[in-house]
Amino acid sequence: MKSVQIIIGLMAISIFFGLQSCEPKVGKNDKVRSIGNTSEVLVVMQNNQQKDGKIGLVIEEFLGKEQYGLLQAEPIFDIAYITVKNFSSMFKKHRNILIINIDKESIGTNVESFKNRWSKPQRVIVITAPSTAYFVNDFPQYSESIIDNFNVAERQRILSIFRPSSKNKVLKSVRDNFKFNITIPQGFYVAKTENGFMWIRKEVTEYSQGIIIFSEPYLDKKQFSKESIVSRTNRYLKQYVPGDSPGAYMSLTDEYLVPTWNQVEGMDPAYAIEMRGVWNVVNDFMGGPYVCYTFVEPLNNNIITIMGYVYQPNKKKRNLLRQLEAIIYSVKLKKPQ
């Protein structure tokens, strides 16, 4: 758990370097850009006893649970705490805020959600319960919706940073080959293009990020099954994504954990399947987490999979993978006339 002193230091640095030097002037009716670390939720409590007691424990259990699919354990969100007494205008700029209000006059547990209340992009969620017991009992049933709301705010924040540099040759190449738009910031380049396949990479000293796109004719819904997506992905990876050693190639693996398969909402495609898991390089010693999304592109009736992967051995990867997730969520399909 972070103390308010740590948050003040981090946010002060963020404001000094991020807002004062880079922010455009804000008009009276405009919202300032939100602040805060990536994948962080600021929890506003009435007192420190709530943080150290059952309320804090149940919040940590759900919002701080381990993000599935990473090789090193990392929580879905880092949770920072502050009391309502110290909840000043500076902290109200945070992108993800959860406000806890125990009010004995409340009739049951009420959850309110606000978009861009004090800054932009921002999600503020207020939970009011008549007692600690009510809160602890009811929070689990709201937790997935709360996580989804904060994930949306995270993606919006990332894309607001990426969009200004996304009008580049990579975007044009994706649009020409696959007939959809996507936000891809500077730093990425097209490493390989084949018929119905594209490999986009970002290589820096500390880490590698990659985006792999492939398509083929859509025949029936069986192509959305986990087995079909894995088989199809591995076929393209083996053919087009070699490793550094002779005979080595990239592959999805279930040796370390079983990949998840879920239908997701919030993307432009009406129906999309998300998978999370681990990739490795056959005949070599490389691997890392991936997230991929599969959907139908209606203009040519093709089924498309976009896979984002990260390579950063022995270091945390959650935020790098979240960036790729945001990029893929930015897909905008061209609709038939």
Side-chain angles (χ1 to χ4, degrees):
M1 296 183 184
K2 298 180 183 177
S3 67
V4 65
Q5 289 83 2
I6 294 175
I7 309 170
I8 291 173
L10 290 173
M11 288 192 174
I13 292 171
S14 175
I15 292 169
F16 182 79
F17 288 104
L19 297 179
Q20 290 191 1
S21 60
C22 301
E23 279 293 318
K25 292 183 178 180
V26 178
K28 289 183 179 179
N29 297 322
D30 294 332
K31 297 290 177 67
V32 297
R33 176 174 289 184
S34 55
I35 62 173
N37 296 322
T38 301
S39 304
E40 182 181 70
V41 174
L42 178 63
V43 179
V44 183
M45 293 189 162
Q46 291 163 300
N47 53 63
N48 287 323
Q49 288 72 33
Q50 291 176 343
K51 179 191 76 172
D52 298 328
K54 293 181 179 180
I55 292 177
L57 286 174
V58 75
I59 290 173
E60 291 280 349
E61 179 183 353
F62 289 93
L63 299 192
K65 66 183 177 182
E66 185 176 331
Q67 171 67 64
Y68 192 85
L70 303 178
L71 292 176
Q72 286 83 26
E74 296 181 67
I76 296 177
F77 294 106
D78 298 319
I79 304 173
Y81 295 92
I82 191 172
T83 61
V84 67
K85 180 181 178 181
N86 294 313
F87 189 46
S88 64
S89 58
M90 178 180 73
F91 292 107
K92 289 179 180 179
K93 298 173 186 175
H94 199 285
R95 76 182 83 173
N96 299 320
I97 300 175
L98 176 62
I99 300 175
I100 310 304
N101 181 32
I102 303 301
D103 180 3
K104 64 181 181 180
E105 302 298 326
S106 175
I107 301 175
T109 300
N110 300 300
V111 180
E112 299 175 282
S113 181
F114 302 91
K115 181 179 179 181
N116 302 335
R117 187 169 189 178
W118 294 299
S119 64
K120 184 178 180 180
Q122 182 188 57
R123 177 61 61 178
V124 177
I125 296 175
V126 181
I127 303 180
T128 303
S131 67
T132 296
Y134 263 91
F135 181 92
V136 172
N137 181 70
D138 293 343
F139 186 80
Q141 66 180 292
Y142 298 116
S143 62
E144 286 305 314
S145 178
I146 291 170
I147 290 170
D148 289 344
N149 273 268
F150 286 145
N151 278 334
V152 170
E154 284 295 308
R155 291 194 294 267
Q156 290 175 342
R157 168 76 172 183
I158 291 168
L159 290 174
S160 72
I161 297 171
F162 284 174
R163 282 194 189 99
S165 67
S166 69
K167 294 182 179 180
N168 50 45
K169 293 180 180 179
V170 179
L171 170 60
K172 184 179 185 303
S173 185
V174 172
R175 186 189 296 132
D176 291 344
N177 282 274
F178 298 101
K179 311 306 177 188
F180 61 77
N181 288 310
I182 188 171
T183 297
I184 299 182
Q186 285 183 344
F188 286 86
Y189 66 94
V190 177
K192 182 176 290 186
T193 302
E194 301 290 345
N195 184 31
F197 176 88
M198 184 175 292
W199 182 13
I200 301 167
R201 303 175 69 177
K202 179 179 180 179
E203 301 292 337
V204 298
T205 303
E206 297 83 8
Y207 61 86
S208 300
Q209 288 174 300
I211 300 170
I212 293 169
I213 309 172
F214 55 87
S215 71
E216 53 188 52
Y218 176 60
L219 303 176
D220 58 53
K221 204 167 183 178
K222 293 178 182 178
Q223 291 169 281
F224 281 101
S225 71
K226 179 191 290 188
E227 294 74 18
S228 180
I229 294 172
V230 170
S231 175
R232 199 162 57 246
T233 303
N234 280 338
R235 173 161 47 87
Y236 280 98
L237 293 179
K238 184 175 183 179
Q239 185 173 1
Y240 295 126
V241 187
D244 294 332
S245 305
Y249 57 90
M250 192 177 194
S251 178
L252 307 187
T253 178
D254 59 4
E255 180 179 352
Y256 307 100
L257 52 81
V258 177
T260 61
W261 182 99
N262 296 294
Q263 183 179 349
V264 293
E265 298 179 351
M267 294 187 71
D268 186 40
Y271 182 82
I273 295 298
E274 176 195 87
M275 287 184 59
R276 291 179 181 270
V278 173
W279 62 271
N280 69 352
V281 175
V282 178
N283 298 322
D284 206 340
F285 299 97
M286 293 179 67
Y290 74 85
V291 60
C292 74
Y293 297 87
T294 300
F295 55 88
V296 171
E297 183 274 300
L299 207 60
N300 297 297
N301 198 38
N302 286 330
I303 187 166
I304 292 179
T305 293
I306 308 178
M307 171 185 166
Y309 70 88
V310 172
Y311 180 65
Q312 190 182 32
N314 303 316
K315 293 186 179 179
K316 294 181 177 181
K317 305 169 183 65
R318 177 196 61 192
N319 292 345
L320 292 173
L321 195 65
R322 190 182 284 279
Q323 290 176 2
L324 297 173
E325 177 187 331
I327 288 172
I328 300 172
Y329 260 84
S330 73
V331 164
K332 296 296 180 186
L333 299 175
K334 294 182 179 180
K335 305 297 191 296
Q337 298 295 325

